């Protein structure tokens, strides 16, 4: 496929940031591993199926915002107490942020990271582990949720929602 032809042929091309930029066109000096956003999508699918009401889904935001606050996205994790650094590193959001920082920031920015390293192997390994865990758990939870649903319950909720709108 020629650059600019308007489509992607395979998964590798589809996975690239833009279809016109292929990995072999990117110089090796700036090629770095990309974080996997599917990790967070799997967590969202599981939480969304477990907590079905709008009120309970709003409560999900509190721990998610807490994870984001300690993930090192807004300020360096090295400025936190050591016990909180361990808690933050248990979250996939920390590893997504670390991967994005390593891909987007200049090499000099590595000085504020833990161990003064981007930790590419740990990032890829832990995000891969979270992704596998999500891919294993999401179908189980979604199958369980689907068994609880009947066609009449779905139709009843649909009618109720339409009455609120109309």
């Amino acid at each position: 496929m020629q650059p600019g032809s308007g489509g992607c042929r395979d998964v590798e091309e589809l996975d690239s940031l833009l279809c016109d930029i292929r990995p072999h066109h990117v110089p090796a000096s700036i090629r770095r591993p990309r974080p996997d956003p599917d990790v967070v999508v799997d967590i969202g699918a599981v939480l969304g199926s477990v907590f079905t009401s709008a009120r309970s889904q709003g409560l999900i935001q509190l721990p998610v915002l807490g994870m984001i606050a300690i993930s090192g996205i807004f300020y360096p994790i090295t400025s936190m107490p050591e016990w909180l650094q361990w808690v933050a590193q248990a979250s996939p959001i920390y590893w997504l942020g670390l991967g994005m920082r390593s891909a987007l920031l200049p090499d000099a920015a590595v000085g504020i990271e833990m161990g003064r390293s981007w930790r590419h192997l740990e990032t890829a390994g832990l995000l891969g582990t979270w992704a596998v865990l999500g891919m294993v758990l999401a179908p189980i939870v979604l199958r369980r949720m689907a068994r609880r649903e009947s066609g009449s319950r779905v139709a009843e909720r649909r009618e109720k929602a339409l009455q609120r709108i109309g």
Side-chain angles (χ1 to χ4, degrees):
M1 172 173 291
Q2 297 298 320
S5 61
C8 295
R9 282 193 309 209
D10 61 351
V11 175
E12 185 176 318
E13 290 176 346
L14 187 61
D15 187 44
S16 66
L17 184 58
L18 298 171
C19 292
D20 291 341
I21 299 175
R22 304 288 188 269
H24 58 274
H25 290 126
V26 178
S29 62
I30 62 170
R31 203 177 304 150
R32 294 184 178 153
R34 290 186 308 233
D36 183 9
D38 293 337
V39 172
V40 181
V41 172
D42 293 336
I43 294 172
V46 169
L47 292 176
S49 66
V50 172
F51 301 100
T52 57
S53 73
R55 180 170 286 144
S56 63
Q57 287 183 0
L59 292 175
I60 291 173
Q61 294 302 314
L62 295 175
V64 171
L65 291 173
M67 280 195 317
I68 291 170
I70 65 169
S71 68
I73 300 292
F74 300 113
Y75 43 87
I77 192 173
T78 54
S79 65
M80 297 180 206
E82 187 175 343
W83 68 269
L84 196 54
Q85 292 177 15
W86 284 101
V87 172
Q89 290 182 70
S91 163
I93 298 173
Y94 167 76
W95 296 100
L96 284 169
L98 180 63
M100 293 302 292
R101 287 190 300 276
S102 75
L104 299 174
L105 294 178
D107 290 335
V110 76
I112 61 171
E113 295 297 333
M114 295 182 73
R116 301 203 184 288
S117 168
W118 292 121
R119 302 187 294 170
H120 289 134
L121 291 177
E122 291 95 334
T123 301
L126 286 165
L127 286 177
T129 302
W130 274 102
V132 168
L133 184 66
M135 286 188 283
V136 168
L137 288 179
I140 294 168
V141 172
L142 292 172
R143 193 176 310 118
R144 182 175 155 243
M145 181 202 71
R147 271 192 232 123
R148 287 186 284 159
E149 295 296 318
S150 67
S152 60
R153 286 179 64 188
V154 172
E156 180 183 318
R157 279 201 311 269
R158 181 178 180 270
E159 289 299 321
K160 187 177 177 181
L162 288 174
Q163 287 175 355
R164 274 187 270 153
I165 293 171

